[in-house]
Tab-separated table of all heavy atoms in Angstrom:
chain	number	residue	atom	x	y	z
A	644	ASP	N	-12.200	-15.463	219.954
A	644	ASP	CA	-12.853	-15.589	221.285
A	644	ASP	C	-12.050	-14.870	222.349
A	644	ASP	O	-10.929	-15.331	222.615
A	644	ASP	CB	-13.121	-17.033	221.598
A	644	ASP	CG	-13.881	-17.161	222.917
A	644	ASP	OD1	-14.301	-16.104	223.501
A	644	ASP	OD2	-14.007	-18.251	223.388
A	645	PRO	N	-12.545	-13.860	222.927
A	645	PRO	CA	-11.660	-13.093	224.015
A	645	PRO	C	-11.225	-14.116	225.070
A	645	PRO	O	-10.168	-14.038	225.584
A	645	PRO	CB	-12.646	-12.021	224.464
A	645	PRO	CG	-13.663	-11.879	223.371
A	645	PRO	CD	-13.805	-13.154	222.764
A	646	GLN	N	-12.113	-14.984	225.505
A	646	GLN	CA	-11.784	-15.882	226.573
A	646	GLN	C	-10.602	-16.799	226.197
A	646	GLN	O	-9.660	-17.038	227.004
A	646	GLN	CB	-13.039	-16.650	227.030
A	646	GLN	CG	-14.023	-15.859	227.829
A	646	GLN	CD	-13.504	-15.192	229.071
A	646	GLN	OE1	-12.627	-15.879	229.655
A	646	GLN	NE2	-13.962	-14.024	229.405
A	647	SER	N	-10.690	-17.312	225.016
A	647	SER	CA	-9.618	-18.211	224.526
A	647	SER	C	-8.385	-17.446	224.310
A	647	SER	O	-7.209	-18.003	224.588
A	647	SER	CB	-10.000	-18.930	223.206
A	647	SER	OG	-10.029	-18.089	222.147
A	648	ALA	N	-8.370	-16.239	223.777
A	648	ALA	CA	-7.188	-15.473	223.615
A	648	ALA	C	-6.552	-15.100	225.016
A	648	ALA	O	-5.310	-15.191	225.195
A	648	ALA	CB	-7.448	-14.206	222.929
A	649	PHE	N	-7.397	-14.870	225.955
A	649	PHE	CA	-6.923	-14.573	227.285
A	649	PHE	C	-6.231	-15.792	227.923
A	649	PHE	O	-5.127	-15.717	228.500
A	649	PHE	CB	-8.077	-14.067	228.186
A	649	PHE	CG	-7.658	-13.767	229.618
A	649	PHE	CD1	-7.116	-12.580	229.915
A	649	PHE	CD2	-7.890	-14.685	230.582
A	649	PHE	CE1	-6.697	-12.279	231.180
A	649	PHE	CE2	-7.549	-14.370	231.938
A	649	PHE	CZ	-6.938	-13.168	232.193
A	650	GLY	N	-6.857	-16.877	227.709
A	650	GLY	CA	-6.328	-18.112	228.246
A	650	GLY	C	-5.048	-18.511	227.617
A	650	GLY	O	-4.214	-19.178	228.293
A	651	ALA	N	-4.885	-18.155	226.302
A	651	ALA	CA	-3.585	-18.528	225.635
A	651	ALA	C	-2.465	-17.662	226.084
A	651	ALA	O	-1.298	-18.063	226.138
A	651	ALA	CB	-3.859	-18.344	224.132
A	652	VAL	N	-2.668	-16.366	226.448
A	652	VAL	CA	-1.586	-15.478	226.834
A	652	VAL	C	-1.162	-15.601	228.221
A	652	VAL	O	-0.046	-15.225	228.572
A	652	VAL	CB	-1.999	-14.034	226.452
A	652	VAL	CG1	-2.989	-13.494	227.528
A	652	VAL	CG2	-0.777	-13.129	226.311
A	653	MET	N	-2.027	-16.036	229.164
A	653	MET	CA	-1.738	-16.115	230.559
A	653	MET	C	-0.533	-16.945	230.864
A	653	MET	O	0.339	-16.579	231.718
A	653	MET	CB	-2.955	-16.520	231.338
A	653	MET	CG	-3.933	-15.439	231.470
A	653	MET	SD	-3.332	-13.845	232.077
A	653	MET	CE	-2.929	-14.246	233.733
A	654	PRO	N	-0.382	-18.124	230.287
A	654	PRO	CA	0.789	-18.990	230.509
A	654	PRO	C	2.122	-18.223	230.021
A	654	PRO	O	3.164	-18.356	230.708
A	654	PRO	CB	0.628	-20.248	229.678
A	654	PRO	CG	-0.864	-20.291	229.548
A	654	PRO	CD	-1.389	-18.910	229.394
A	655	VAL	N	2.048	-17.495	228.973
A	655	VAL	CA	3.201	-16.680	228.512
A	655	VAL	C	3.533	-15.666	229.547
A	655	VAL	O	4.758	-15.472	229.854
A	655	VAL	CB	2.885	-16.066	227.188
A	655	VAL	CG1	4.042	-15.198	226.713
A	655	VAL	CG2	2.562	-17.134	226.070
A	656	ILE	N	2.497	-14.948	230.108
A	656	ILE	CA	2.789	-13.924	231.065
A	656	ILE	C	3.449	-14.537	232.361
A	656	ILE	O	4.360	-14.036	232.897
A	656	ILE	CB	1.435	-13.166	231.417
A	656	ILE	CG1	1.008	-12.324	230.267
A	656	ILE	CG2	1.631	-12.394	232.708
A	656	ILE	CD1	-0.254	-11.612	230.466
A	657	ALA	N	2.903	-15.715	232.752
A	657	ALA	CA	3.352	-16.375	233.982
A	657	ALA	C	4.813	-16.843	233.765
A	657	ALA	O	5.664	-16.715	234.652
A	657	ALA	CB	2.552	-17.577	234.317
A	658	ASP	N	5.156	-17.296	232.577
A	658	ASP	CA	6.517	-17.756	232.273
A	658	ASP	C	7.481	-16.592	232.250
A	658	ASP	O	8.557	-16.759	232.849
A	658	ASP	CB	6.521	-18.484	230.967
A	658	ASP	CG	7.945	-19.012	230.546
A	658	ASP	OD1	8.507	-19.839	231.354
A	658	ASP	OD2	8.551	-18.589	229.542
A	659	LEU	N	7.129	-15.485	231.667
A	659	LEU	CA	7.996	-14.304	231.615
A	659	LEU	C	8.191	-13.724	233.039
A	659	LEU	O	9.307	-13.331	233.393
A	659	LEU	CB	7.386	-13.217	230.690
A	659	LEU	CG	7.488	-13.539	229.219
A	659	LEU	CD1	6.547	-12.526	228.472
A	659	LEU	CD2	8.884	-13.450	228.733
A	660	LEU	N	7.141	-13.753	233.848
A	660	LEU	CA	7.225	-13.300	235.191
A	660	LEU	C	8.197	-14.182	236.044
A	660	LEU	O	9.062	-13.663	236.731
A	660	LEU	CB	5.895	-13.219	235.932
A	660	LEU	CG	5.820	-12.837	237.303
A	660	LEU	CD1	6.379	-11.464	237.525
A	660	LEU	CD2	4.417	-12.934	237.854
A	661	GLU	N	8.085	-15.445	235.893
A	661	GLU	CA	8.953	-16.389	236.581
A	661	GLU	C	10.371	-16.219	236.194
A	661	GLU	O	11.327	-16.161	237.000
A	661	GLU	CB	8.510	-17.846	236.377
A	661	GLU	CG	9.303	-18.850	237.097
A	661	GLU	CD	8.888	-20.328	236.878
A	661	GLU	OE1	7.940	-20.475	236.125
A	661	GLU	OE2	9.531	-21.224	237.328
A	662	ARG	N	10.637	-16.151	234.879
A	662	ARG	CA	12.002	-16.023	234.378
A	662	ARG	C	12.576	-14.689	234.753
A	662	ARG	O	13.829	-14.580	235.147
A	662	ARG	CB	12.071	-16.203	232.873
A	662	ARG	CG	11.866	-17.699	232.413
A	662	ARG	CD	12.230	-17.867	230.979
A	662	ARG	NE	11.119	-17.327	230.083
A	662	ARG	CZ	11.319	-16.840	228.965
A	662	ARG	NH1	12.513	-16.628	228.502
A	662	ARG	NH2	10.223	-16.473	228.186
A	663	GLY	N	11.816	-13.624	234.682
A	663	GLY	CA	12.389	-12.350	235.116
A	663	GLY	C	12.621	-12.196	236.522
A	663	GLY	O	13.727	-11.661	236.958
A	664	THR	N	11.789	-12.754	237.373
A	664	THR	CA	11.972	-12.785	238.834
A	664	THR	C	13.164	-13.560	239.170
A	664	THR	O	13.974	-13.166	240.140
A	664	THR	CB	10.735	-13.431	239.559
A	664	THR	OG1	9.562	-12.620	239.180
A	664	THR	CG2	10.897	-13.314	240.999
A	665	ARG	N	13.424	-14.790	238.606
A	665	ARG	CA	14.557	-15.550	238.839
A	665	ARG	C	15.879	-14.783	238.440
A	665	ARG	O	16.891	-14.837	239.198
A	665	ARG	CB	14.482	-16.887	238.118
A	665	ARG	CG	15.682	-17.902	238.465
A	665	ARG	CD	15.681	-19.073	237.512
A	665	ARG	NE	14.363	-19.807	237.564
A	665	ARG	CZ	13.600	-19.861	236.532
A	665	ARG	NH1	13.944	-19.392	235.374
A	665	ARG	NH2	12.441	-20.562	236.654
A	666	ALA	N	15.857	-14.247	237.313
A	666	ALA	CA	16.994	-13.453	236.784
A	666	ALA	C	17.337	-12.286	237.758
A	666	ALA	O	18.508	-12.052	238.064
A	666	ALA	CB	16.791	-12.973	235.387
A	667	PHE	N	16.373	-11.631	238.238
A	667	PHE	CA	16.557	-10.520	239.073
A	667	PHE	C	17.127	-10.966	240.394
A	667	PHE	O	18.073	-10.358	240.954
A	667	PHE	CB	15.238	-9.795	239.401
A	667	PHE	CG	15.370	-8.447	240.144
A	667	PHE	CD1	15.432	-7.234	239.412
A	667	PHE	CD2	15.371	-8.355	241.518
A	667	PHE	CE1	15.614	-6.012	240.033
A	667	PHE	CE2	15.582	-7.183	242.106
A	667	PHE	CZ	15.655	-6.010	241.380
A	668	ALA	N	16.670	-12.109	240.965
A	668	ALA	CA	17.211	-12.650	242.179
A	668	ALA	C	18.609	-13.006	242.097
A	668	ALA	O	19.455	-12.911	243.061
A	668	ALA	CB	16.360	-13.768	242.704
A	669	LEU	N	19.003	-13.505	240.866
A	669	LEU	CA	20.429	-13.943	240.675
A	669	LEU	C	21.315	-12.748	240.277
A	669	LEU	O	22.495	-13.002	240.055
A	669	LEU	CB	20.418	-14.981	239.558
A	669	LEU	CG	19.733	-16.353	239.916
A	669	LEU	CD1	19.705	-17.199	238.670
A	669	LEU	CD2	20.480	-16.970	241.086
A	670	GLY	N	20.831	-11.620	240.089
A	670	GLY	CA	21.537	-10.361	239.687
A	670	GLY	C	21.872	-10.407	238.213
A	670	GLY	O	22.767	-9.693	237.756
A	671	ASP	N	21.113	-11.178	237.423
A	671	ASP	CA	21.331	-11.137	235.936
A	671	ASP	C	20.455	-10.080	235.357
A	671	ASP	O	19.370	-10.363	234.882
A	671	ASP	CB	20.989	-12.510	235.388
A	671	ASP	CG	21.283	-12.615	233.856
A	671	ASP	OD1	21.624	-11.668	233.313
A	671	ASP	OD2	21.178	-13.820	233.342
A	672	TRP	N	20.929	-8.863	235.406
A	672	TRP	CA	20.090	-7.716	235.130
A	672	TRP	C	19.680	-7.736	233.617
A	672	TRP	O	18.502	-7.313	233.292
A	672	TRP	CB	20.769	-6.446	235.445
A	672	TRP	CG	21.372	-6.359	236.837
A	672	TRP	CD1	22.592	-6.141	237.172
A	672	TRP	CD2	20.659	-6.671	238.074
A	672	TRP	NE1	22.760	-6.206	238.598
A	672	TRP	CE2	21.621	-6.520	239.133
A	672	TRP	CE3	19.368	-7.046	238.363
A	672	TRP	CZ2	21.236	-6.759	240.471
A	672	TRP	CZ3	19.003	-7.306	239.664
A	672	TRP	CH2	19.968	-7.082	240.724
A	673	ASP	N	20.612	-8.142	232.742
A	673	ASP	CA	20.260	-8.071	231.239
A	673	ASP	C	19.027	-8.992	231.018
A	673	ASP	O	18.135	-8.621	230.298
A	673	ASP	CB	21.455	-8.534	230.476
A	673	ASP	CG	22.478	-7.387	230.313
A	673	ASP	OD1	22.014	-6.288	229.998
A	673	ASP	OD2	23.672	-7.698	230.457
Side-chain angles (χ1 to χ4, degrees):
D644 180 7
Q646 289 298 328
S647 72
F649 180 79
V652 77
M653 287 308 293
V655 178
I656 290 177
D658 181 60
L659 288 169
L660 177 60
E661 180 182 358
R662 285 192 283 146
T664 302
R665 184 189 305 114
F667 190 94
L669 294 173
D671 187 349
W672 311 126
D673 283 314

